[in-house]
Amino acid sequence: MYNCGLLRFRKIGSVSNEQFGYLTPIEFGAEIPFDVKRLYYIYNVADDQIRGKHSHKKLHQVLICVHGSVDVNLKNYFGEETYTLDDPSVGLYVGPDNWREMSNFTDDAVLFVLASEKYDEDDYIRDYDSFINYSEKKYQLKKKTLKK
Ligand code: TYD
């Protein structure tokens, strides 16, 4: 889908000893497609709560559920998709103009987020109708440019 997608990180383990566990390295500039300026994590979310409910105008993010499981629903001008994140070696890249809703957090879920910019409330669109209007204006304009 447009402007989002799964990233599969390395999972270093021991073939001879499964109990040894796994190590997932993430090098900024290599595995992450932007310069990371901020990280935060979301945890202790009850299973009836829906978080997110916003889009960003410029921010790029990678979401990694490092423990437990969470569903991330993304909607943008071109489509909609729900990703279940339940593997610490998988990240979900979410670019600008994606309306996101995170739900079905398991009790033990820890959602780790890498972000391309420092926190800026002005970059958020928190109203769904405004998100639709903003996206329609932006991408209809792009379509017109492409047709020339
Ligand atoms: P918000 O991004 O709305 O969280 P979610 O989409 O997961 O529900 O942020 C919740 C609150 O935390 C909001 O008051 C802004 C604040 N916040 C920061 O101060 N710094 C940050 O880096 C983030 C992500 C949020």
Side-chain angles (χ1 to χ4, degrees):
M1 198 171 75
Y2 174 76
N3 227 6
C4 59
L6 293 174
L7 306 171
R8 293 179 199 284
F9 304 122
R10 281 177 292 155
K11 192 171 167 182
I12 302 171
S14 164
V15 184
S16 56
N17 179 6
E18 278 209 4
Q19 297 297 310
F20 192 59
Y22 297 102
L23 184 153
T24 292
I26 299 177
E27 294 196 4
F28 299 166
E31 280 97 347
I32 302 294
F34 51 80
D35 287 341
V36 176
K37 292 214 179 93
R38 173 169 55 114
L39 64 87
Y40 62 91
Y41 29 98
I42 298 172
Y43 51 98
N44 269 2
V45 183
D47 60 3
D48 61 349
Q49 295 298 307
I50 299 178
R51 297 200 57 130
K53 294 188 178 170
H54 65 255
S55 68
H56 285 282
K57 293 179 231 169
K58 295 209 175 109
L59 193 70
H60 300 263
Q61 293 178 303
V62 171
L63 282 55
I64 305 164
C65 190
V66 290
H67 198 250
S69 167
V70 59
D71 290 343
V72 182
N73 174 266
L74 297 178
K75 288 190 189 84
N76 61 44
Y77 187 74
F78 302 97
E80 171 175 2
E81 183 118 23
T82 299
Y83 300 87
T84 296
L85 300 183
D86 59 2
D87 179 343
S89 70
V90 172
L92 176 62
Y93 166 72
V94 182
D97 306 329
N98 277 292
W99 184 266
R100 83 281 319 270
E101 295 191 3
M102 290 87 87
S103 62
N104 294 329
F105 283 82
T106 55
D107 280 355
D108 56 352
V110 181
L111 184 62
F112 193 80
V113 183
L114 303 170
S116 65
E117 303 297 335
K118 291 188 176 164
Y119 174 73
D120 175 11
E121 186 60 36
D122 289 342
D123 189 62
Y124 281 72
I125 300 178
R126 290 193 182 272
D127 173 68
Y128 190 66
D129 288 341
S130 304
F131 160 72
I132 291 178
N133 289 336
Y134 177 89
S135 299
E136 283 184 346
K137 252 192 202 163
K138 181 168 172 178
Y139 292 102
Q140 277 170 9
L141 203 70
K142 278 211 166 147
K143 266 192 203 164
K144 276 181 197 155
T145 313
L146 281 174
K147 272 181 206 161
K148 278 183 190 170

mmCIF file of all heavy atoms in Angstrom, residues 68-83:
data_model
loop_
_atom_site.group_PDB
_atom_site.id
_atom_site.type_symbol
_atom_site.label_atom_id
_atom_site.label_comp_id
_atom_site.label_asym_id
_atom_site.label_seq_id
_atom_site.Cartn_x
_atom_site.Cartn_y
_atom_site.Cartn_z
ATOM 1 N N GLY A 68 4.428 -8.736 22.950
ATOM 2 C CA GLY A 68 2.976 -8.825 22.816
ATOM 3 C C GLY A 68 2.532 -8.585 21.384
ATOM 4 O O GLY A 68 3.297 -8.807 20.428
ATOM 5 N N SER A 69 1.308 -8.090 21.252
ATOM 6 C CA SER A 69 0.720 -7.961 19.919
ATOM 7 C C SER A 69 -0.222 -6.756 19.856
ATOM 8 O O SER A 69 -0.881 -6.416 20.836
ATOM 9 C CB SER A 69 -0.059 -9.263 19.632
ATOM 10 O OG SER A 69 -0.883 -9.124 18.509
ATOM 11 N N VAL A 70 -0.279 -6.136 18.693
ATOM 12 C CA VAL A 70 -1.180 -5.002 18.477
ATOM 13 C C VAL A 70 -1.574 -4.958 16.995
ATOM 14 O O VAL A 70 -0.789 -5.363 16.134
ATOM 15 C CB VAL A 70 -0.515 -3.670 18.917
ATOM 16 C CG1 VAL A 70 0.771 -3.396 18.150
ATOM 17 C CG2 VAL A 70 -1.459 -2.487 18.767
ATOM 18 N N ASP A 71 -2.804 -4.525 16.719
ATOM 19 C CA ASP A 71 -3.238 -4.332 15.329
ATOM 20 C C ASP A 71 -3.102 -2.856 14.965
ATOM 21 O O ASP A 71 -3.504 -1.982 15.748
ATOM 22 C CB ASP A 71 -4.704 -4.740 15.156
ATOM 23 C CG ASP A 71 -4.888 -6.240 15.262
ATOM 24 O OD1 ASP A 71 -3.894 -6.982 15.149
ATOM 25 O OD2 ASP A 71 -6.037 -6.677 15.477
ATOM 26 N N VAL A 72 -2.563 -2.609 13.787
ATOM 27 C CA VAL A 72 -2.428 -1.225 13.311
ATOM 28 C C VAL A 72 -3.196 -1.105 11.998
ATOM 29 O O VAL A 72 -2.857 -1.768 11.013
ATOM 30 C CB VAL A 72 -0.948 -0.845 13.087
ATOM 31 C CG1 VAL A 72 -0.838 0.619 12.648
ATOM 32 C CG2 VAL A 72 -0.122 -1.088 14.340
ATOM 33 N N ASN A 73 -4.234 -0.289 12.007
ATOM 34 C CA ASN A 73 -5.021 -0.052 10.799
ATOM 35 C C ASN A 73 -4.558 1.258 10.172
ATOM 36 O O ASN A 73 -4.469 2.274 10.861
ATOM 37 C CB ASN A 73 -6.521 0.008 11.148
ATOM 38 C CG ASN A 73 -7.365 0.386 9.946
ATOM 39 O OD1 ASN A 73 -7.673 1.548 9.729
ATOM 40 N ND2 ASN A 73 -7.715 -0.587 9.146
ATOM 41 N N LEU A 74 -4.241 1.205 8.883
ATOM 42 C CA LEU A 74 -3.797 2.403 8.165
ATOM 43 C C LEU A 74 -4.760 2.700 7.028
ATOM 44 O O LEU A 74 -5.158 1.792 6.289
ATOM 45 C CB LEU A 74 -2.391 2.188 7.584
ATOM 46 C CG LEU A 74 -1.269 1.943 8.584
ATOM 47 C CD1 LEU A 74 0.049 1.703 7.838
ATOM 48 C CD2 LEU A 74 -1.121 3.096 9.563
ATOM 49 N N LYS A 75 -5.111 3.972 6.919
ATOM 50 C CA LYS A 75 -5.945 4.416 5.794
ATOM 51 C C LYS A 75 -5.244 5.602 5.157
ATOM 52 O O LYS A 75 -4.791 6.508 5.855
ATOM 53 C CB LYS A 75 -7.302 4.924 6.304
ATOM 54 C CG LYS A 75 -8.249 3.864 6.801
ATOM 55 C CD LYS A 75 -9.635 4.501 7.033
ATOM 56 C CE LYS A 75 -10.568 3.534 7.728
ATOM 57 N NZ LYS A 75 -10.407 3.518 9.184
ATOM 58 N N ASN A 76 -5.167 5.558 3.819
ATOM 59 C CA ASN A 76 -4.674 6.740 3.123
ATOM 60 C C ASN A 76 -5.473 6.916 1.838
ATOM 61 O O ASN A 76 -6.415 6.151 1.581
ATOM 62 C CB ASN A 76 -3.156 6.669 2.884
ATOM 63 C CG ASN A 76 -2.753 5.485 2.028
ATOM 64 O OD1 ASN A 76 -3.381 5.197 1.021
ATOM 65 N ND2 ASN A 76 -1.703 4.788 2.444
ATOM 66 N N TYR A 77 -5.104 7.904 1.054
ATOM 67 C CA TYR A 77 -5.884 8.250 -0.140
ATOM 68 C C TYR A 77 -6.047 7.053 -1.085
ATOM 69 O O TYR A 77 -7.007 6.960 -1.829
ATOM 70 C CB TYR A 77 -5.191 9.411 -0.862
ATOM 71 C CG TYR A 77 -5.987 9.960 -2.008
ATOM 72 C CD1 TYR A 77 -7.103 10.750 -1.785
ATOM 73 C CD2 TYR A 77 -5.624 9.679 -3.325
ATOM 74 C CE1 TYR A 77 -7.849 11.256 -2.835
ATOM 75 C CE2 TYR A 77 -6.364 10.179 -4.385
ATOM 76 C CZ TYR A 77 -7.479 10.962 -4.132
ATOM 77 O OH TYR A 77 -8.211 11.457 -5.172
ATOM 78 N N PHE A 78 -5.094 6.114 -1.020
ATOM 79 C CA PHE A 78 -5.061 5.027 -2.003
ATOM 80 C C PHE A 78 -5.582 3.691 -1.477
ATOM 81 O O PHE A 78 -5.694 2.729 -2.224
ATOM 82 C CB PHE A 78 -3.631 4.857 -2.526
ATOM 83 C CG PHE A 78 -3.101 6.120 -3.135
ATOM 84 C CD1 PHE A 78 -2.301 6.982 -2.396
ATOM 85 C CD2 PHE A 78 -3.452 6.491 -4.429
ATOM 86 C CE1 PHE A 78 -1.836 8.164 -2.955
ATOM 87 C CE2 PHE A 78 -2.989 7.666 -4.983
ATOM 88 C CZ PHE A 78 -2.186 8.512 -4.240
ATOM 89 N N GLY A 79 -5.844 3.573 -0.175
ATOM 90 C CA GLY A 79 -6.312 2.287 0.326
ATOM 91 C C GLY A 79 -6.276 2.172 1.833
ATOM 92 O O GLY A 79 -6.029 3.151 2.546
ATOM 93 N N GLU A 80 -6.540 0.948 2.274
ATOM 94 C CA GLU A 80 -6.612 0.675 3.715
ATOM 95 C C GLU A 80 -6.045 -0.714 3.967
ATOM 96 O O GLU A 80 -6.244 -1.632 3.170
ATOM 97 C CB GLU A 80 -8.084 0.713 4.157
ATOM 98 C CG GLU A 80 -8.268 0.237 5.581
ATOM 99 C CD GLU A 80 -9.701 0.377 6.091
ATOM 100 O OE1 GLU A 80 -10.587 0.818 5.325
ATOM 101 O OE2 GLU A 80 -9.918 0.035 7.250
ATOM 102 N N GLU A 81 -5.332 -0.850 5.074
ATOM 103 C CA GLU A 81 -4.780 -2.163 5.411
ATOM 104 C C GLU A 81 -4.613 -2.257 6.927
ATOM 105 O O GLU A 81 -4.301 -1.276 7.582
ATOM 106 C CB GLU A 81 -3.421 -2.324 4.715
ATOM 107 C CG GLU A 81 -2.776 -3.656 4.917
ATOM 108 C CD GLU A 81 -2.588 -4.434 3.609
ATOM 109 O OE1 GLU A 81 -2.550 -3.814 2.531
ATOM 110 O OE2 GLU A 81 -2.490 -5.664 3.709
ATOM 111 N N THR A 82 -4.833 -3.481 7.455
ATOM 112 C CA THR A 82 -4.579 -3.710 8.877
ATOM 113 C C THR A 82 -3.415 -4.675 9.019
ATOM 114 O O THR A 82 -3.389 -5.734 8.383
ATOM 115 C CB THR A 82 -5.827 -4.286 9.570
ATOM 116 O OG1 THR A 82 -6.894 -3.342 9.446
ATOM 117 C CG2 THR A 82 -5.562 -4.531 11.059
ATOM 118 N N TYR A 83 -2.439 -4.285 9.830
ATOM 119 C CA TYR A 83 -1.263 -5.112 10.085
ATOM 120 C C TYR A 83 -1.305 -5.568 11.535
ATOM 121 O O TYR A 83 -1.509 -4.746 12.432
ATOM 122 C CB TYR A 83 0.016 -4.300 9.874
ATOM 123 C CG TYR A 83 0.190 -3.746 8.471
ATOM 124 C CD1 TYR A 83 -0.353 -2.515 8.123
ATOM 125 C CD2 TYR A 83 0.906 -4.452 7.514
ATOM 126 C CE1 TYR A 83 -0.183 -2.001 6.832
ATOM 127 C CE2 TYR A 83 1.076 -3.949 6.227
ATOM 128 C CZ TYR A 83 0.532 -2.723 5.896
ATOM 129 O OH TYR A 83 0.705 -2.216 4.633
#
